[in-house]
Amino acid sequence: MFILAGNLLLWLLSFMFIYFIHNTTPTLAQPDFLSYYCENAANYSVNSAYQQNLNSLSALFTTNNPYGFYNLSTGQGNNTVNSVALCRGDINPDVCLRCLIDSLVKLRQLCPNQKEAIGYYDYCMLRYSNDVILGSIRLKFYVYLANPQNAMDIDRFNGALGPLMKDLRVNASAGGPLRKFASGSTTGPDFSTIYGLVQCTPGLSELDCVSCLEDAINRIAQLFNGKIGGRMLLPMCTFRYENYRFFNQSAAVIQPSAPPNLPPIARPSAPPGMNLSVSTQLCVNLCLIMKSIN
Ligand SMILES: *[C@@H]1O[C@H](CO)[C@@H](O)[C@H](O)[C@H]1NC(C)=O
Ligand SMILES: *[C@@H]1O[C@H](CO)[C@@H](O)[C@H](O)[C@H]1NC(C)=O
Ligand SMILES: *[C@@H]1O[C@H](CO)[C@@H](O)[C@H](O)[C@H]1NC(C)=O
Ligand SMILES: *[C@@H]1O[C@H](CO)[C@@H](O)[C@H](O)[C@H]1NC(C)=O
Ligand SMILES: *[C@@H]1O[C@H](CO)[C@@H](O)[C@H](O)[C@H]1NC(C)=O
Ligand SMILES: *[C@@H]1O[C@H](CO)[C@@H](O)[C@H](O)[C@H]1NC(C)=O
């Protein structure tokens, strides 16, 4: 099932297609998330233990690994909330944290009673679930975005893009348990440059990262054939390529220093259905912690 999200067209200046490998009714994203998804199969009720655990999910933001990967399970038994967050590998820690705080607030608003939800921004993704997230490569859906413009010489474009993505896949997969990210560029047809970025959830094994990316990259021919830009967002891996530099080259090689040893966040007492006053409260708490990082 293809859904053409026409309202996103202007904002993204590209076509956005969302393909759900799932039979529940998908919810279309507002312009702020690139895409998000609320799993309607399992809901929680107001004032349930699950909701209380969700309300304390900002504790996730103290778990930076420190390469922009966060994971936390909170609560007990079937009220456990498993959460994972990942920032794009070239994004600064403070930009990353802001992106994640915003994601949590927004996702709670967009998915007010669903136990499982995922939201994608350009710079970060956040996911929570009552189900196991890490260690499960269960694929519920993927999202892809394609630039509508075709390359002048599709064959030569693909001939340059293919090896770049393969190279990046190898480099990201070999990145080790903390960081699986690679960005780079290659010369395309007619002195153009093609820029690419790939990333896996760091907890994936090298092999799982390879196969997640392989599966995604193998769809380029079918989904993006000859398009000058495209990206795929999957829960465990992602890629993007463009004919302009869209990533932060300086940050791509900078290794973060030692893990910040953060004090636990004072748990915000979020009422059911976060609203803006709550998000401001959340930011007051976390912005203070951000300052202590620098
Ligand atoms: C969960 O809630 C959504 C609306 O918020 C509803 O559409 C869906 O049917 C509910 N799912 C179940 C299993 O009750
Ligand atoms: C959740 O756990 C409780 C206690 O362990 C159990 O009584 C209940 O049936 C469980 N609910 C579901 C939906 O599994
Ligand atoms: C890109 O890297 C520079 C230098 O580290 C940094 O100042 C800038 O904030 C980064 N941009 C983003 C979006 O993270
Ligand atoms: C992959 O890593 C190798 C070794 O560090 C490097 O020479 C190469 O340029 C990288 N590939 C890309 C596409 O960045
Ligand atoms: C998730 O966090 C737990 C500690 O809370 C840690 O033991 C585990 O290794 C983390 N998983 C990954 C994939 O980093
Ligand atoms: C937001 O939450 C606060 C605290 O619960 C409440 O006082 C306020 O009325 C809410 N605002 C809106 C617009 O819902």
Side-chain angles (χ1 to χ4, degrees), residues 241-258:
Y241 71 89
E242 304 285 354
N243 64 352
Y244 60 92
R245 186 193 307 288
F246 58 92
F247 50 80
N248 204 351
Q249 195 172 37
S250 53
V253 287
I254 293 172
Q255 303 294 312
S257 50

Side-chain angles (χ1 to χ4, degrees), residues 269 271 273-278:
S269 49
M274 287 187 175
N275 64 23
L276 281 178
S277 69
V278 177

Side-chain angles (χ1 to χ4, degrees), residues 76-79 115:
Q76 311 234 303
N78 53 22
N79 292 314
K115 286 188 173 179

Side-chain angles (χ1 to χ4, degrees), residues 88 90-91 122-123 183-184 194-198 230-231 239-249:
R88 220 172 69 185
D90 60 319
I91 298 306
D122 214 2
Y123 289 169
S183 62
I194 307 174
Y195 299 88
L197 176 156
V198 310
R231 55 182 123 168
F239 76 73
R240 179 174 178 187
Y241 71 89
E242 304 285 354
N243 64 352
Y244 60 92
R245 186 193 307 288
F246 58 92
F247 50 80
N248 204 351
Q249 195 172 37

Side-chain angles (χ1 to χ4, degrees), residues 25 53 72 125 135 181 226 274 279:
T25 313
N53 291 332
L72 181 73
M125 75 87 133
F181 171 80
M274 287 187 175
S279 89

